[in-house]
Amino acid sequence: MFCLFSDIDPRCGGTLLVEGSGRLLEQWYAEVAPDPARKQRSIFRQFVSGHPFLRRLTGIDPTADDPGELFGPYTDDRGTLRVTEISGRAGDVFVCHSNLLHAAPVHTGTQPRFLAVRGLGPDPVPARRSPAAL
């Protein structure tokens, strides 16, 4: 869950999400079955390096001069991926699948932003201060 404790306007530092990435990751994991003893970072690199859009998004491959191109939908035989951002008003809550790729963006607004990330389930992730709140 992403909980907004302040208003976050579009393009003002909301968490970036890759819509469709949770499904893609589950499909990839079922096909590849990476060794769970490997470090998570290594498994993540293997996953993103096998997809053209994710290669551009993570900087493995170059992008055009306009990074806005990455906000358009990318569709191939595995489905559609789209980068979107969390923006909204204080009190808004976004519930996302735990496998959804996300990243904190650079804060480009003029107002402070406050949000929290919280896991759901029988053993929820302990609440911690998000770097986006700084």
Side-chain angles (χ1 to χ4, degrees), residues 61-127:
D61 289 345
T63 60
D65 291 335
D66 177 17
E69 74 159 295
L70 295 173
F71 280 87
Y74 174 89
T75 303
D76 66 10
D77 61 337
R78 294 171 277 194
T80 299
L81 297 177
R82 177 187 350 257
V83 175
T84 190
E85 67 177 326
I86 290 179
S87 61
R89 302 293 151 232
D92 289 350
V93 175
F94 298 82
V95 179
C96 306
H97 192 283
S98 61
N99 286 348
L100 191 70
L101 297 180
H102 64 281
V106 174
H107 184 5
T108 58
T110 59
Q111 299 295 320
R113 62 199 163 139
F114 298 94
L115 62 109
V117 179
R118 177 87 179 169
L120 298 174
D123 296 317
V125 175

Short mmCIF file of all heavy atoms in Angstrom, two decimals, residues 61-127:
data_model
loop_
_atom_site.label_atom_id
_atom_site.label_comp_id
_atom_site.label_asym_id
_atom_site.label_seq_id
_atom_site.Cartn_x
_atom_site.Cartn_y
_atom_site.Cartn_z
N ASP A 61 19.96 -0.04 -21.61
CA ASP A 61 19.99 0.44 -22.98
C ASP A 61 19.68 1.93 -23.00
O ASP A 61 18.94 2.41 -22.14
CB ASP A 61 18.96 -0.30 -23.84
CG ASP A 61 19.33 -1.75 -24.10
OD1 ASP A 61 20.50 -2.12 -23.87
OD2 ASP A 61 18.44 -2.51 -24.52
N PRO A 62 20.22 2.67 -23.95
CA PRO A 62 19.96 4.12 -24.00
C PRO A 62 18.51 4.42 -24.38
O PRO A 62 17.84 3.62 -25.01
CB PRO A 62 20.93 4.61 -25.08
CG PRO A 62 21.22 3.41 -25.92
CD PRO A 62 21.10 2.21 -25.02
N THR A 63 18.06 5.60 -23.97
CA THR A 63 16.74 6.08 -24.34
C THR A 63 16.91 7.34 -25.17
O THR A 63 18.01 7.87 -25.30
CB THR A 63 15.90 6.42 -23.09
OG1 THR A 63 16.58 7.43 -22.36
CG2 THR A 63 15.68 5.20 -22.22
N ALA A 64 15.81 7.82 -25.69
CA ALA A 64 15.84 9.07 -26.46
C ALA A 64 16.17 10.22 -25.51
O ALA A 64 16.19 10.07 -24.30
CB ALA A 64 14.49 9.30 -27.13
N ASP A 65 16.43 11.38 -26.09
CA ASP A 65 16.72 12.56 -25.28
C ASP A 65 15.56 12.94 -24.36
O ASP A 65 15.75 13.56 -23.34
CB ASP A 65 17.07 13.75 -26.18
CG ASP A 65 18.41 13.54 -26.87
OD1 ASP A 65 19.24 12.79 -26.34
OD2 ASP A 65 18.60 14.15 -27.93
N ASP A 66 14.34 12.56 -24.74
CA ASP A 66 13.16 12.89 -23.95
C ASP A 66 12.77 11.69 -23.10
O ASP A 66 12.25 10.71 -23.62
CB ASP A 66 12.00 13.27 -24.87
CG ASP A 66 10.71 13.55 -24.11
OD1 ASP A 66 10.79 13.77 -22.88
OD2 ASP A 66 9.66 13.55 -24.75
N PRO A 67 13.03 11.72 -21.78
CA PRO A 67 12.65 10.57 -20.95
C PRO A 67 11.14 10.36 -20.89
O PRO A 67 10.68 9.32 -20.47
CB PRO A 67 13.22 10.92 -19.57
CG PRO A 67 13.44 12.38 -19.58
CD PRO A 67 13.65 12.79 -21.00
N GLY A 68 10.37 11.35 -21.34
CA GLY A 68 8.92 11.21 -21.38
C GLY A 68 8.47 10.07 -22.27
O GLY A 68 7.36 9.56 -22.12
N GLU A 69 9.33 9.64 -23.20
CA GLU A 69 8.97 8.52 -24.06
C GLU A 69 8.70 7.26 -23.26
O GLU A 69 7.97 6.38 -23.68
CB GLU A 69 10.08 8.24 -25.09
CG GLU A 69 11.29 7.56 -24.46
CD GLU A 69 12.17 6.82 -25.44
OE1 GLU A 69 11.73 5.84 -26.05
OE2 GLU A 69 13.31 7.23 -25.57
N LEU A 70 9.29 7.17 -22.08
CA LEU A 70 9.11 5.98 -21.26
C LEU A 70 7.76 5.96 -20.55
O LEU A 70 7.38 4.97 -19.95
CB LEU A 70 10.24 5.87 -20.22
CG LEU A 70 11.63 5.66 -20.82
CD1 LEU A 70 12.69 5.72 -19.74
CD2 LEU A 70 11.70 4.35 -21.57
N PHE A 71 7.00 7.06 -20.63
CA PHE A 71 5.68 7.10 -20.01
C PHE A 71 4.59 6.61 -20.95
O PHE A 71 3.44 6.49 -20.55
CB PHE A 71 5.36 8.51 -19.49
CG PHE A 71 6.00 8.81 -18.17
CD1 PHE A 71 7.28 9.32 -18.12
CD2 PHE A 71 5.34 8.56 -16.99
CE1 PHE A 71 7.89 9.59 -16.91
CE2 PHE A 71 5.94 8.81 -15.77
CZ PHE A 71 7.22 9.33 -15.72
N GLY A 72 4.93 6.33 -22.20
CA GLY A 72 3.95 5.76 -23.13
C GLY A 72 3.87 4.26 -22.94
O GLY A 72 4.79 3.64 -22.41
N PRO A 73 2.77 3.64 -23.34
CA PRO A 73 2.66 2.19 -23.18
C PRO A 73 3.62 1.44 -24.10
O PRO A 73 3.89 1.88 -25.21
CB PRO A 73 1.20 1.90 -23.54
CG PRO A 73 0.77 3.05 -24.37
CD PRO A 73 1.58 4.23 -23.95
N TYR A 74 4.13 0.34 -23.62
CA TYR A 74 4.99 -0.55 -24.40
C TYR A 74 4.25 -1.88 -24.47
O TYR A 74 3.91 -2.47 -23.43
CB TYR A 74 6.35 -0.74 -23.74
CG TYR A 74 7.20 -1.77 -24.46
CD1 TYR A 74 8.03 -1.39 -25.50
CD2 TYR A 74 7.12 -3.11 -24.13
CE1 TYR A 74 8.79 -2.33 -26.19
CE2 TYR A 74 7.88 -4.06 -24.81
CZ TYR A 74 8.70 -3.66 -25.83
OH TYR A 74 9.45 -4.60 -26.52
N THR A 75 3.99 -2.38 -25.68
CA THR A 75 3.26 -3.63 -25.85
C THR A 75 4.06 -4.58 -26.70
O THR A 75 4.63 -4.20 -27.73
CB THR A 75 1.89 -3.37 -26.52
OG1 THR A 75 1.15 -2.44 -25.73
CG2 THR A 75 1.09 -4.65 -26.65
N ASP A 76 4.14 -5.82 -26.25
CA ASP A 76 4.72 -6.89 -27.05
C ASP A 76 3.91 -8.16 -26.79
O ASP A 76 2.83 -8.09 -26.19
CB ASP A 76 6.22 -7.07 -26.79
CG ASP A 76 6.54 -7.55 -25.38
OD1 ASP A 76 5.62 -7.94 -24.63
OD2 ASP A 76 7.73 -7.54 -25.02
N ASP A 77 4.40 -9.31 -27.23
CA ASP A 77 3.65 -10.55 -27.08
C ASP A 77 3.45 -10.98 -25.63
O ASP A 77 2.63 -11.84 -25.34
CB ASP A 77 4.31 -11.68 -27.88
CG ASP A 77 5.73 -11.97 -27.42
OD1 ASP A 77 6.37 -11.08 -26.83
OD2 ASP A 77 6.20 -13.09 -27.68
N ARG A 78 4.17 -10.36 -24.70
CA ARG A 78 4.03 -10.70 -23.28
C ARG A 78 3.02 -9.79 -22.57
O ARG A 78 2.73 -9.99 -21.40
CB ARG A 78 5.38 -10.61 -22.58
CG ARG A 78 6.36 -11.67 -23.09
CD ARG A 78 7.72 -11.44 -22.54
NE ARG A 78 8.37 -10.42 -23.39
CZ ARG A 78 9.66 -10.16 -23.36
NH1 ARG A 78 10.44 -10.77 -22.53
NH2 ARG A 78 10.17 -9.25 -24.17
N GLY A 79 2.52 -8.76 -23.25
CA GLY A 79 1.55 -7.87 -22.63
C GLY A 79 1.97 -6.42 -22.75
O GLY A 79 2.88 -6.07 -23.51
N THR A 80 1.32 -5.57 -21.98
CA THR A 80 1.58 -4.13 -22.01
C THR A 80 2.16 -3.68 -20.69
O THR A 80 1.69 -4.08 -19.63
CB THR A 80 0.28 -3.35 -22.29
OG1 THR A 80 -0.22 -3.74 -23.57
CG2 THR A 80 0.51 -1.85 -22.29
N LEU A 81 3.20 -2.87 -20.78
CA LEU A 81 3.80 -2.23 -19.62
C LEU A 81 3.65 -0.73 -19.79
O LEU A 81 3.73 -0.22 -20.89
CB LEU A 81 5.29 -2.58 -19.50
CG LEU A 81 5.64 -4.04 -19.29
CD1 LEU A 81 7.16 -4.21 -19.27
CD2 LEU A 81 5.04 -4.57 -18.01
N ARG A 82 3.44 -0.05 -18.67
CA ARG A 82 3.30 1.41 -18.72
C ARG A 82 3.81 1.97 -17.40
O ARG A 82 3.48 1.47 -16.34
CB ARG A 82 1.85 1.79 -18.91
CG ARG A 82 1.58 3.26 -18.91
CD ARG A 82 0.09 3.63 -18.95
NE ARG A 82 -0.82 2.53 -19.19
CZ ARG A 82 -1.42 2.31 -20.37
NH1 ARG A 82 -1.21 3.09 -21.39
NH2 ARG A 82 -2.24 1.30 -20.50
N VAL A 83 4.62 3.02 -17.49
CA VAL A 83 5.08 3.71 -16.29
C VAL A 83 4.02 4.74 -15.91
O VAL A 83 3.54 5.49 -16.76
CB VAL A 83 6.43 4.41 -16.52
CG1 VAL A 83 6.83 5.23 -15.29
CG2 VAL A 83 7.52 3.40 -16.85
N THR A 84 3.65 4.73 -14.67
CA THR A 84 2.71 5.71 -14.15
C THR A 84 3.25 6.16 -12.80
O THR A 84 4.20 5.59 -12.29
CB THR A 84 1.29 5.13 -14.04
OG1 THR A 84 0.37 6.16 -13.74
CG2 THR A 84 1.22 4.05 -12.99
N GLU A 85 2.66 7.18 -12.26
CA GLU A 85 3.12 7.66 -10.96
C GLU A 85 1.95 7.78 -10.00
O GLU A 85 0.81 7.96 -10.41
CB GLU A 85 3.82 9.00 -11.07
CG GLU A 85 2.92 10.12 -11.49
CD GLU A 85 3.62 11.47 -11.52
OE1 GLU A 85 4.50 11.70 -10.69
OE2 GLU A 85 3.25 12.27 -12.39
N ILE A 86 2.29 7.65 -8.73
CA ILE A 86 1.29 7.86 -7.70
C ILE A 86 1.19 9.35 -7.44
O ILE A 86 2.18 9.99 -7.09
CB ILE A 86 1.66 7.10 -6.42
CG1 ILE A 86 1.51 5.60 -6.68
CG2 ILE A 86 0.82 7.55 -5.25
CD1 ILE A 86 1.86 4.74 -5.51
N SER A 87 0.03 9.88 -7.68
CA SER A 87 -0.23 11.28 -7.33
C SER A 87 -1.66 11.33 -6.84
O SER A 87 -2.49 10.49 -7.18
CB SER A 87 -0.01 12.20 -8.53
OG SER A 87 -0.87 11.87 -9.59
N GLY A 88 -1.95 12.30 -6.00
CA GLY A 88 -3.30 12.42 -5.48
C GLY A 88 -3.34 13.34 -4.29
O GLY A 88 -2.44 14.17 -4.08
N ARG A 89 -4.36 13.20 -3.50
CA ARG A 89 -4.60 14.07 -2.35
C ARG A 89 -4.32 13.33 -1.06
O ARG A 89 -4.41 12.10 -1.00
CB ARG A 89 -6.05 14.56 -2.35
CG ARG A 89 -6.45 15.33 -3.59
CD ARG A 89 -5.70 16.65 -3.66
NE ARG A 89 -5.51 17.07 -5.04
CZ ARG A 89 -4.33 17.40 -5.57
NH1 ARG A 89 -3.24 17.38 -4.87
NH2 ARG A 89 -4.24 17.77 -6.82
N ALA A 90 -4.00 14.08 -0.03
CA ALA A 90 -3.76 13.48 1.29
C ALA A 90 -4.94 12.58 1.65
O ALA A 90 -6.09 12.96 1.48
CB ALA A 90 -3.57 14.58 2.33
N GLY A 91 -4.63 11.39 2.11
CA GLY A 91 -5.67 10.42 2.45
C GLY A 91 -5.88 9.36 1.39
O GLY A 91 -6.48 8.32 1.66
N ASP A 92 -5.40 9.60 0.17
CA ASP A 92 -5.52 8.59 -0.88
C ASP A 92 -4.62 7.40 -0.55
O ASP A 92 -3.52 7.56 -0.02
CB ASP A 92 -5.11 9.14 -2.25
CG ASP A 92 -6.12 10.14 -2.81
OD1 ASP A 92 -7.21 10.27 -2.24
OD2 ASP A 92 -5.78 10.79 -3.82
N VAL A 93 -5.11 6.20 -0.86
CA VAL A 93 -4.36 4.97 -0.64
C VAL A 93 -4.36 4.18 -1.94
O VAL A 93 -5.41 4.02 -2.58
CB VAL A 93 -4.98 4.13 0.50
CG1 VAL A 93 -4.26 2.80 0.64
CG2 VAL A 93 -4.97 4.90 1.82
N PHE A 94 -3.20 3.69 -2.33
CA PHE A 94 -3.04 2.87 -3.53
C PHE A 94 -2.63 1.48 -3.10
O PHE A 94 -1.62 1.32 -2.42
CB PHE A 94 -1.98 3.47 -4.46
CG PHE A 94 -2.32 4.85 -4.95
CD1 PHE A 94 -2.06 5.96 -4.16
CD2 PHE A 94 -2.91 5.02 -6.18
CE1 PHE A 94 -2.38 7.23 -4.60
CE2 PHE A 94 -3.24 6.29 -6.62
CZ PHE A 94 -2.98 7.40 -5.83
N VAL A 95 -3.41 0.48 -3.49
CA VAL A 95 -3.10 -0.90 -3.15
C VAL A 95 -2.55 -1.56 -4.41
O VAL A 95 -3.19 -1.53 -5.46
CB VAL A 95 -4.36 -1.65 -2.65
CG1 VAL A 95 -4.03 -3.10 -2.33
CG2 VAL A 95 -4.94 -0.94 -1.43
N CYS A 96 -1.35 -2.11 -4.30
CA CYS A 96 -0.66 -2.68 -5.45
C CYS A 96 -0.16 -4.08 -5.12
O CYS A 96 0.10 -4.40 -3.96
CB CYS A 96 0.56 -1.82 -5.82
SG CYS A 96 0.20 -0.09 -6.10
N HIS A 97 0.01 -4.88 -6.14
CA HIS A 97 0.61 -6.20 -5.97
C HIS A 97 2.05 -6.03 -5.53
O HIS A 97 2.75 -5.12 -5.97
CB HIS A 97 0.54 -6.96 -7.31
CG HIS A 97 0.87 -8.40 -7.17
ND1 HIS A 97 2.15 -8.87 -7.04
CD2 HIS A 97 0.06 -9.50 -7.14
CE1 HIS A 97 2.13 -10.18 -6.94
NE2 HIS A 97 0.89 -10.59 -6.99
N SER A 98 2.52 -6.91 -4.66
CA SER A 98 3.88 -6.77 -4.12
C SER A 98 4.97 -6.98 -5.16
O SER A 98 6.11 -6.56 -4.95
CB SER A 98 4.08 -7.75 -2.96
OG SER A 98 3.94 -9.09 -3.41
N ASN A 99 4.66 -7.60 -6.29
CA ASN A 99 5.66 -7.81 -7.34
C ASN A 99 5.74 -6.65 -8.32
O ASN A 99 6.50 -6.70 -9.27
CB ASN A 99 5.38 -9.10 -8.12
CG ASN A 99 5.72 -10.33 -7.33
OD1 ASN A 99 6.38 -10.26 -6.30
ND2 ASN A 99 5.27 -11.48 -7.80
N LEU A 100 4.94 -5.64 -8.14
CA LEU A 100 4.92 -4.50 -9.05
C LEU A 100 6.23 -3.72 -8.91
O LEU A 100 6.63 -3.35 -7.81
CB LEU A 100 3.74 -3.59 -8.69
CG LEU A 100 3.40 -2.50 -9.67
CD1 LEU A 100 2.80 -3.09 -10.94
CD2 LEU A 100 2.38 -1.56 -9.03
N LEU A 101 6.91 -3.51 -10.02
CA LEU A 101 8.16 -2.73 -9.98
C LEU A 101 7.82 -1.28 -9.68
O LEU A 101 6.89 -0.72 -10.25
CB LEU A 101 8.90 -2.82 -11.31
CG LEU A 101 9.38 -4.20 -11.73
CD1 LEU A 101 10.10 -4.11 -13.08
CD2 LEU A 101 10.27 -4.82 -10.70
N HIS A 102 8.58 -0.69 -8.78
CA HIS A 102 8.36 0.71 -8.42
C HIS A 102 9.68 1.35 -8.02
O HIS A 102 10.64 0.67 -7.67
CB HIS A 102 7.32 0.83 -7.31
CG HIS A 102 7.74 0.22 -6.02
ND1 HIS A 102 7.68 -1.13 -5.78
CD2 HIS A 102 8.24 0.78 -4.90
CE1 HIS A 102 8.11 -1.39 -4.57
NE2 HIS A 102 8.47 -0.24 -4.00
N ALA A 103 9.71 2.66 -8.11
CA ALA A 103 10.91 3.41 -7.74
C ALA A 103 10.51 4.81 -7.30
O ALA A 103 9.58 5.40 -7.82
CB ALA A 103 11.87 3.51 -8.92
N ALA A 104 11.25 5.33 -6.34
CA ALA A 104 11.02 6.70 -5.91
C ALA A 104 11.67 7.63 -6.92
O ALA A 104 12.83 7.47 -7.26
CB ALA A 104 11.61 6.93 -4.52
N PRO A 105 10.94 8.62 -7.43
CA PRO A 105 11.50 9.54 -8.40
C PRO A 105 12.21 10.71 -7.72
O PRO A 105 12.17 10.86 -6.50
CB PRO A 105 10.28 10.03 -9.15
CG PRO A 105 9.24 10.05 -8.09
CD PRO A 105 9.54 8.85 -7.21
N VAL A 106 12.77 11.55 -8.53
CA VAL A 106 13.36 12.80 -8.03
C VAL A 106 12.21 13.75 -7.72
O VAL A 106 11.27 13.88 -8.49
CB VAL A 106 14.28 13.41 -9.11
CG1 VAL A 106 14.79 14.77 -8.67
CG2 VAL A 106 15.43 12.46 -9.41
N HIS A 107 12.29 14.41 -6.58
CA HIS A 107 11.25 15.36 -6.18
C HIS A 107 11.44 16.66 -6.98
O HIS A 107 12.43 17.35 -6.82
CB HIS A 107 11.35 15.63 -4.69
CG HIS A 107 10.27 16.52 -4.15
ND1 HIS A 107 9.20 16.97 -4.88
CD2 HIS A 107 10.08 17.02 -2.90
CE1 HIS A 107 8.43 17.71 -4.13
NE2 HIS A 107 8.94 17.77 -2.92
N THR A 108 10.47 16.97 -7.84
CA THR A 108 10.57 18.15 -8.69
C THR A 108 9.60 19.25 -8.28
O THR A 108 9.58 20.30 -8.90
CB THR A 108 10.30 17.78 -10.17
OG1 THR A 108 9.00 17.18 -10.24
CG2 THR A 108 11.35 16.81 -10.68
N GLY A 109 8.80 18.99 -7.27
CA GLY A 109 7.82 19.99 -6.83
C GLY A 109 8.42 20.97 -5.84
O GLY A 109 9.60 20.90 -5.50
N THR A 110 7.59 21.87 -5.37
CA THR A 110 8.05 22.87 -4.41
C THR A 110 7.55 22.60 -3.00
O THR A 110 8.03 23.20 -2.06
CB THR A 110 7.59 24.28 -4.84
OG1 THR A 110 6.15 24.28 -4.92
CG2 THR A 110 8.19 24.66 -6.18
N GLN A 111 6.57 21.70 -2.86
CA GLN A 111 6.01 21.37 -1.56
C GLN A 111 6.58 20.06 -1.04
O GLN A 111 6.89 19.16 -1.83
CB GLN A 111 4.48 21.23 -1.66
CG GLN A 111 3.78 22.48 -2.12
CD GLN A 111 3.93 23.61 -1.12
OE1 GLN A 111 3.87 23.40 0.07
NE2 GLN A 111 4.17 24.82 -1.62
N PRO A 112 6.73 19.92 0.28
CA PRO A 112 7.17 18.63 0.83
C PRO A 112 6.14 17.55 0.51
O PRO A 112 4.95 17.85 0.39
CB PRO A 112 7.24 18.86 2.33
CG PRO A 112 7.02 20.30 2.57
CD PRO A 112 6.50 20.91 1.31
N ARG A 113 6.57 16.34 0.38
CA ARG A 113 5.65 15.23 0.13
C ARG A 113 5.84 14.20 1.23
O ARG A 113 6.96 13.93 1.67
CB ARG A 113 5.88 14.63 -1.25
CG ARG A 113 7.26 14.05 -1.37
CD ARG A 113 7.69 13.87 -2.79
NE ARG A 113 9.14 13.73 -2.72
CZ ARG A 113 9.83 12.89 -3.41
NH1 ARG A 113 9.25 12.14 -4.29
NH2 ARG A 113 11.12 12.81 -3.25
N PHE A 114 4.75 13.64 1.67
CA PHE A 114 4.80 12.64 2.73
C PHE A 114 3.93 11.46 2.32
O PHE A 114 2.76 11.64 1.97
CB PHE A 114 4.27 13.23 4.05
CG PHE A 114 5.10 14.38 4.54
CD1 PHE A 114 4.75 15.68 4.23
CD2 PHE A 114 6.25 14.15 5.29
CE1 PHE A 114 5.52 16.75 4.68
CE2 PHE A 114 7.02 15.21 5.73
CZ PHE A 114 6.66 16.51 5.44
N LEU A 115 4.54 10.27 2.33
CA LEU A 115 3.81 9.06 2.02
C LEU A 115 4.44 7.92 2.78
O LEU A 115 5.56 8.03 3.27
CB LEU A 115 3.77 8.78 0.52
CG LEU A 115 5.10 8.55 -0.18
CD1 LEU A 115 5.22 7.10 -0.56
CD2 LEU A 115 5.19 9.43 -1.40
N ALA A 116 3.73 6.82 2.87
CA ALA A 116 4.24 5.64 3.54
C ALA A 116 3.98 4.43 2.66
O ALA A 116 3.00 4.38 1.92
CB ALA A 116 3.55 5.45 4.89
N VAL A 117 4.87 3.46 2.74
CA VAL A 117 4.72 2.19 2.04
C VAL A 117 4.53 1.14 3.12
O VAL A 117 5.32 1.06 4.06
CB VAL A 117 5.96 1.88 1.18
CG1 VAL A 117 5.80 0.54 0.48
CG2 VAL A 117 6.21 2.99 0.19
N ARG A 118 3.49 0.36 2.98
CA ARG A 118 3.18 -0.65 4.00
C ARG A 118 2.76 -1.93 3.31
O ARG A 118 1.94 -1.91 2.39
CB ARG A 118 2.03 -0.12 4.86
CG ARG A 118 1.54 -1.03 5.91
CD ARG A 118 2.36 -0.85 7.15
NE ARG A 118 1.83 -1.75 8.17
CZ ARG A 118 2.44 -1.99 9.27
NH1 ARG A 118 3.58 -1.41 9.53
NH2 ARG A 118 1.94 -2.81 10.15
N GLY A 119 3.35 -3.06 3.73
CA GLY A 119 2.96 -4.36 3.20
C GLY A 119 1.70 -4.87 3.88
O GLY A 119 1.40 -4.48 5.00
N LEU A 120 0.96 -5.73 3.20
CA LEU A 120 -0.24 -6.34 3.76
C LEU A 120 0.00 -7.83 3.89
O LEU A 120 0.78 -8.42 3.17
CB LEU A 120 -1.44 -6.11 2.84
CG LEU A 120 -1.84 -4.68 2.60
CD1 LEU A 120 -2.96 -4.62 1.56
CD2 LEU A 120 -2.31 -4.04 3.89
N GLY A 121 -0.68 -8.47 4.79
CA GLY A 121 -0.58 -9.91 4.94
C GLY A 121 -0.46 -10.29 6.40
O GLY A 121 -0.48 -9.43 7.29
N PRO A 122 -0.29 -11.59 6.66
CA PRO A 122 -0.24 -12.04 8.05
C PRO A 122 0.97 -11.50 8.80
O PRO A 122 0.92 -11.26 9.98
CB PRO A 122 -0.19 -13.56 7.94
CG PRO A 122 0.21 -13.84 6.54
CD PRO A 122 -0.20 -12.65 5.71
N ASP A 123 2.08 -11.30 8.12
CA ASP A 123 3.29 -10.74 8.72
C ASP A 123 3.67 -9.49 7.95
O ASP A 123 4.60 -9.51 7.15
CB ASP A 123 4.44 -11.76 8.68
CG ASP A 123 4.15 -12.98 9.52
OD1 ASP A 123 3.62 -12.81 10.63
OD2 ASP A 123 4.44 -14.09 9.06
N PRO A 124 2.95 -8.38 8.15
CA PRO A 124 3.24 -7.18 7.36
C PRO A 124 4.64 -6.66 7.60
O PRO A 124 5.22 -6.86 8.67
CB PRO A 124 2.19 -6.17 7.81
CG PRO A 124 1.68 -6.68 9.11
CD PRO A 124 1.92 -8.16 9.15
N VAL A 125 5.16 -6.03 6.57
CA VAL A 125 6.47 -5.40 6.66
C VAL A 125 6.38 -4.30 7.71
O VAL A 125 5.43 -3.52 7.71
CB VAL A 125 6.87 -4.81 5.30
CG1 VAL A 125 8.17 -4.05 5.40
CG2 VAL A 125 6.94 -5.91 4.26
N PRO A 126 7.34 -4.20 8.63
CA PRO A 126 7.28 -3.13 9.62
C PRO A 126 7.25 -1.77 8.93
O PRO A 126 7.91 -1.57 7.92
CB PRO A 126 8.57 -3.30 10.42
CG PRO A 126 9.05 -4.67 10.13
CD PRO A 126 8.51 -5.04 8.78
N ALA A 127 6.47 -0.86 9.48
CA ALA A 127 6.39 0.49 8.92
C ALA A 127 7.76 1.14 9.03
O ALA A 127 8.46 0.98 10.03
CB ALA A 127 5.34 1.31 9.65
#
